[in-house]
Amino acid sequence: MTRLTQYFPVLEWGRTYTRQTLINDGLAAVIVTIMLIPQSLAYAMLAGLPPVVGLYASILPLVLYAIFGTSRTLAVGPVAVVSLLTATAAGTVAAPGSPEYLTAAIALAVLSGLMLLVMGVFRLGFLANLLSHPVISGFITASGLLIAASQLRHILGVQAGGHNFVETVAALVRALPETNLPTLIIGGLTLAFLFWARSGLRPALERLGLSGGTAMLLSRTGPVLAVAASILAVIFLDLESKGVAIVGEVPQGLPPLAIPGIDLALWQKLLPAAFLISLIGFVESVSVAQTLAAKRRQTIRPDQELIGLGMANIASAFSGGYPVTGGFARSVVNFDAGAETPAAGAMTAVGIALASLFLTPLLFNLPVAVLAATIIVAVLSLVDFGALRRTWAYSRFDFAAMAATILVTLGAGVESGIITGVALSIVLHLWRSSRPHVAELGQVPGTGHYRNIRRHDVVCDASVLSLRIDESLWFGNARAVEGIVQRAVADRPNLRHLVLNCAAVNSVDASALESLELIMHRLSDQQVALHLAEVKGPVMDKLHKSAFVEDLTGQVFLSQHEAMMTLAPDTTRRADLSPRPNIDVAAAEKPGGRQQRSS
Amino acid sequence: MTRLTQYFPVLEWGRTYTRQTLINDGLAAVIVTIMLIPQSLAYAMLAGLPPVVGLYASILPLVLYAIFGTSRTLAVGPVAVVSLLTATAAGTVAAPGSPEYLTAAIALAVLSGLMLLVMGVFRLGFLANLLSHPVISGFITASGLLIAASQLRHILGVQAGGHNFVETVAALVRALPETNLPTLIIGGLTLAFLFWARSGLRPALERLGLSGGTAMLLSRTGPVLAVAASILAVIFLDLESKGVAIVGEVPQGLPPLAIPGIDLALWQKLLPAAFLISLIGFVESVSVAQTLAAKRRQTIRPDQELIGLGMANIASAFSGGYPVTGGFARSVVNFDAGAETPAAGAMTAVGIALASLFLTPLLFNLPVAVLAATIIVAVLSLVDFGALRRTWAYSRFDFAAMAATILVTLGAGVESGIITGVALSIVLHLWRSSRPHVAELGQVPGTGHYRNIRRHDVVCDASVLSLRIDESLWFGNARAVEGIVQRAVADRPNLRHLVLNCAAVNSVDASALESLELIMHRLSDQQVALHLAEVKGPVMDKLHKSAFVEDLTGQVFLSQHEAMMTLAPDTTRRADLSPRPNIDVAAAEKPGGRQQRSS
């Protein structure tokens, strides 16, 4: 791959573009366009922005991603969680509806675009690894609940909000008496229809004789059907006069191209939020892209994805839009509809551009409740309480990180939630790996195999202690290993040799090297020699860069058996010469006591 | 060990206390007292406090540590780095010399004592693992330079200070013309004597006929000799009238016992500094304690050390002192002088109490320059530029963390320095382990051994890919593994089986489990079955708590050879039946190409 095609993946797939690819991409683009119109209006509303901003964010960004992105089928645009993050961040610097609020949303797109670009160029995508799965999963569940709660007021047709989940729900309950019935009916019907459409529409269409694939794709057009039907209902039943809130005038025409203003004071305030938006957007997008790529044995390059998403966000800012990323549902639809290349995304952009040129007058009478219902149905599918149960069963630590993320996100907000989750998962990870599993090894009688004395029937020698450290050695556990060795040696007055079996040690950092040197010197004060066994090639290469191996009071053995043959020849040879029973090592894995063969 | 002796180690060693132990402890106490008097005066001055505060911090804390500490020979009291941290923190809330400044120093002792206690009771000592060795080493080197630069003004007898290292040095250079010659002479002579005493005094004493041990202990009394000689010089040469700054009146009597005030606003400001003081004091203290304990095959319990140091700091606050911890030099002297139990520390406390009752009037004429020289000689021994070179040779990452800590500490201060170092070492650690080493395995012909195809001459089967992941799987590298597997599979159209060899995987967290599930589903979309081999017992136990093993598209094999015998019987059996050459696996470790045995 040349440097140019590395940064412009379009040069690679563009070369083999055929007429058939064009047709397939075009068909997919039509389906995705139909799906994206109500979604982009709704997510812009969720972000506290005029609905048309959602359309603007769904044109140029798609074209730029098509040029720079590495996923063949990722569909980029406004998504729920990023819209919520945008609303939270912009809400801290301006009031929703004000021009400053829109400026802040555009600034978030610029900042997050620049950050993604920088991360891509400097290969900093690994920062996304800070977001562990339980934290992301918990965050998305909590975000889904927050978003659904915030949109319920549109379904009821009331004014009610709060600074956190509990406040929002309480405000909704208090506002219940003011419910606008026509709004509730139209919102409730839409909710019911959309929930049914998720599972019931496809079989219904199949019963009408459509093929499975076509029925599946058409079933995704549920929101558009709801939009069309509700607009007609508003017009013919004159629902506006009955108190049903409608979208109102949506500006007609292509997005206004403008260079976003550079307001450093504003940027500074929005920086942490933009970083979160970048990381979370990137993680979600890459995860979808990778899953879809795998289905066709394609690959994506995460670092180039950062550049693709960065360019998309900058394009969004230049065309009056707000932060975008790859969306799960629409990418799946794009894939299933047969999209073969990112050109499908560019064609979707053309579709949305046409919609904003010609369809916006039709949206005047669209009830806000229908958009709210679209959002609620989309986000409730993100809520996954089962993950709490599964994570609890698997690991208490991961459960703690997930639960803390959910509770803090619901109680104190999205940014606090993420930060708490990340900090807690790092601390818990440090804690876990600061207590490495260390096994004392003994010889499976009559074999060259050495196993944990607590799990197997093995023999040991009183003058040689073999410890297998089941963890890479780094600053997080170096001191713990010092303590473990020291305690083990303090108990054994006859000890002369300590063998550290390093078969499971994948790396040794400078702190751990220092600890190994300390351990060696302390052992030497106790007349115990330190030996190493089964050190991996790359680890040994590294140790040779220090004076440790040279200064070692003992030896480095290729295998544990070699170490025992050298250090405890009497015990070990006797075991070797004894008639070799035809035992399977695995079969010997019953708990058994430790036998002392020599004094 | 009962719960009571666990928290009161004194109950354990106190039971076997003999007359001989008493004599040994008493002798050590005398030596340490003589050494501690000038040190505690000097370090209090370094902390910006009246010299007597150093004595106060060397009485009750020693008694409390003797009751609660687990090290037999650790000598607790004021130390250089903690004094610098105290000065920095107290300096942000009050002017040195003001009553508020002393209040802040006492508050730091309370806070850090409480934090240490809490960390001890809740077993949070692992937090100290956040401080990697390169960060501590770099921080201590930078602190040594900062302290030495800050004390040089006392040697020159000028007023000069700065907010960072460069400013301080520049101010000293500008102030050179105002140097007070008598002060410079007395300071310079003391410096020269103390530097010589470190290496030259012991051989000189030995030439006078003293035994090696006695000479060594007496050589540690250099600072006391300098103090006595300089006091006499000030009196007989009337140096005060010639501009030599002296300590002046030191209050006589035992420390005033008082409950420290609870000022929540002040505490909040000092909280981060107190946390740093606690962590750094704990790390230094435990490291010394562990090294000394090892020499006599004793052990220390880090969690109980937290309680011991916590009680010592609270005692310091109640007796008008400032934060204390275990000191390196004085603990070594205590050990070498024959201290056998913490009672030696309690007796040292009696010694210092007698000194503050009877000796303080003698200190009136002590030149400040002599105290400054004591500090400079002590801290310059902490500066270790060789560590930079050694760390560079061993690991660029660890070098970066160390260099950043030194530069930021010198340029922006101690707190920024530590925080930068910790953050950088965590980020670099995440980066390092986010790129796990993954080896493709092939069979060493005619054996049951499987090795990295890039390092060994091995055979593979085109339909089976075996990858050995040389890292525990956690959220830091889970996504990287997804990418590695996906790229490996995308290149191999004939692949049917992927075997993940988990011999070096010591744990799998929930994020990694999710990734394994994703990998499995993506592979399944590509008609590739996922198998596991050589999974460790504890990891397998954990995986069984999830649905992963049940849902696995392939099998779990006990050994790599078993996997290959099952999945690629033709290739593998042929290899097995081939005449077995008498080769040693290690000898086959030459770089060699990969041979395809089957299509």
Side-chain angles (χ1 to χ4, degrees), chain B residues 167-448:
Chain B
E167 274 182 40
T168 306
V169 171
L172 281 171
V173 171
R174 275 196 308 274
L176 270 183
E178 289 133 49
T179 302
N180 177 274
L181 203 61
T183 306
L184 180 59
I185 290 170
I186 206 162
L189 283 176
T190 312
L191 272 181
F193 171 70
L194 292 177
F195 273 122
W196 171 76
R198 292 186 80 83
S199 53
L201 189 51
R202 182 176 165 188
L205 290 169
E206 280 176 344
R207 276 193 299 274
L208 291 176
L210 289 175
S211 79
T214 318
M216 204 253 291
L217 288 174
L218 276 185
S219 73
R220 304 292 188 140
T221 59
V224 166
L225 296 179
V227 163
S230 67
I231 291 175
L232 294 177
V234 168
I235 296 173
F236 291 108
L237 303 177
D238 190 20
L239 291 178
E240 196 192 351
S241 70
K242 299 190 174 100
V244 172
I246 57 170
V247 165
E249 192 160 9
V250 178
Q252 199 170 0
L254 290 174
L257 287 186
I259 297 174
I262 296 181
D263 178 346
L264 289 180
L266 177 68
W267 284 20
Q268 205 176 350
K269 276 188 229 159
L270 296 175
L271 214 61
F275 184 61
L276 270 189
I277 289 174
S278 308
L279 274 198
I280 290 178
F282 172 61
V283 168
E284 281 305 290
S285 184
V286 162
S287 161
V288 179
Q290 227 151 18
T291 297
L292 295 179
K295 287 182 195 281
R296 294 190 188 149
R297 290 210 182 193
Q298 296 163 347
T299 55
I300 62 152
R301 283 180 284 121
D303 285 321
Q304 180 63 22
E305 279 302 284
L306 285 164
I307 292 175
L309 292 174
M311 295 305 287
N313 274 291
I314 289 173
S316 188
F318 273 78
S319 52
Y322 73 108
V324 294
T325 191
F328 176 70
R330 80 187 61 143
S331 300
V332 172
V333 168
N334 194 35
F335 182 91
D336 288 342
E340 286 188 22
T341 74
M347 288 187 243
T348 304
V350 174
I352 301 281
L354 292 174
S356 63
L357 275 174
F358 304 112
L359 291 185
T360 48
L362 301 181
L363 298 171
F364 184 91
N365 285 306
L366 174 60
V368 170
V370 170
L371 289 183
T374 311
I375 296 175
I376 291 174
V377 174
V379 298
L380 284 187
S381 72
L382 303 176
V383 173
D384 181 7
F385 284 119
L388 273 172
R389 191 179 36 72
R390 290 192 303 276
T391 309
W392 169 262
Y394 186 69
S395 152
R396 300 295 185 270
F397 277 14
D398 285 304
F399 173 81
M402 186 186 273
T405 307
I406 293 179
L407 292 177
V408 177
T409 303
L410 290 181
V414 286
E415 295 182 11
S416 314
I418 282 282
I419 292 164
T420 305
V422 168
L424 191 62
S425 41
I426 291 179
V427 167
L428 290 175
H429 175 72
L430 286 176
W431 194 74
R432 174 162 40 196
S433 60
S434 77
R435 318 191 139 204
H437 179 249
V438 174
E440 183 182 341
L441 299 183
Q443 186 182 28
V444 179
T447 75

Side-chain angles (χ1 to χ4, degrees), chain A residues 155 183-193 373:
Chain A
I155 305 286
T183 305
L184 180 59
I185 290 171
I186 205 163
L189 283 177
T190 311
L191 272 181
F193 170 70

Side-chain angles (χ1 to χ4, degrees), chain A residues 196-220 336:
Chain A
W196 172 75
R198 293 187 78 83
S199 54
L201 188 53
R202 184 178 164 182
L205 290 169
E206 281 175 344
R207 277 193 299 275
L208 292 175
L210 289 174
S211 79
T214 318
M216 204 256 291
L217 288 175
L218 276 183
S219 73
R220 304 294 188 138
D336 289 342

Side-chain angles (χ1 to χ4, degrees), chain A residues 126 129 131 133 291 294-295 297 394 398 431 470 475-476 479 492 504 506 508 510-511 522 525-526 536, chain B residues 126 129 131 133 291 294-295 297 394 398 431 470 475-476 479 492 504 506 508 510-511 522 525-526 536:
Chain A
F126 74 93
N129 293 332
L131 298 170
H133 180 75
T291 299
K295 286 183 194 282
R297 291 210 181 193
Y394 186 70
D398 285 305
W431 196 73
D470 285 345
F475 65 87
R479 284 191 205 95
R492 292 173 174 77
N506 299 308
V508 175
S511 302
R522 289 173 185 162
D525 286 339
Q526 301 169 74
K536 298 194 162 193
Chain B
F126 73 94
N129 293 333
L131 298 171
H133 180 75
T291 297
K295 287 182 195 281
R297 290 210 182 193
Y394 186 69
D398 285 304
W431 194 74
D470 284 344
F475 65 88
R479 285 191 203 96
R492 292 172 175 78
N506 299 309
V508 174
S511 301
R522 288 172 185 164
D525 286 338
Q526 301 169 74
K536 298 193 163 194

